[in-house]
Amino acid sequence: MKTVINLLPASLNEIRIVQINDIDEQACGGTHVGNTNEIKDFSIMKIQQKGPTKKRIKIQLLG
């Protein structure tokens, strides 16, 4: 998990972890959906190289 624990509010009791198969596992920091099928159409706005094997992808939801 890449979240720095001492930056989280003391009132936080639980952290939601989102796993996408063998691709990624992160502490959730965004909009919650029950299933990724709910997201529908999106556009890739930007891809940043974040190291030799890591990328950050910025998306925009459509419609």
Side-chain angles (χ1 to χ4, degrees), residues 42-48 55-61:
F42 65 91
S43 176
I44 296 174
M45 306 301 292
K46 184 177 185 179
I47 299 175
Q48 294 175 288
K55 293 183 174 155
R56 177 176 292 154
I57 303 172
K58 180 177 179 179
I59 64 166
Q60 179 178 7
L61 300 179

Side-chain angles (χ1 to χ4, degrees), residues 17 34 63:
I17 303 296

Side-chain angles (χ1 to χ4, degrees), residues 28-62:
C28 179
T31 303
H32 294 205
V33 294
N35 188 302
T36 53
N37 288 331
E38 297 175 37
I39 296 171
K40 304 294 179 203
D41 295 332
F42 65 91
S43 176
I44 296 174
M45 306 301 292
K46 184 177 185 179
I47 299 175
Q48 294 175 288
Q49 194 70 37
K50 301 303 282 183
T53 62
K54 298 187 188 302
K55 293 183 174 155
R56 177 176 292 154
I57 303 172
K58 180 177 179 179
I59 64 166
Q60 179 178 7
L61 300 179
L62 304 173

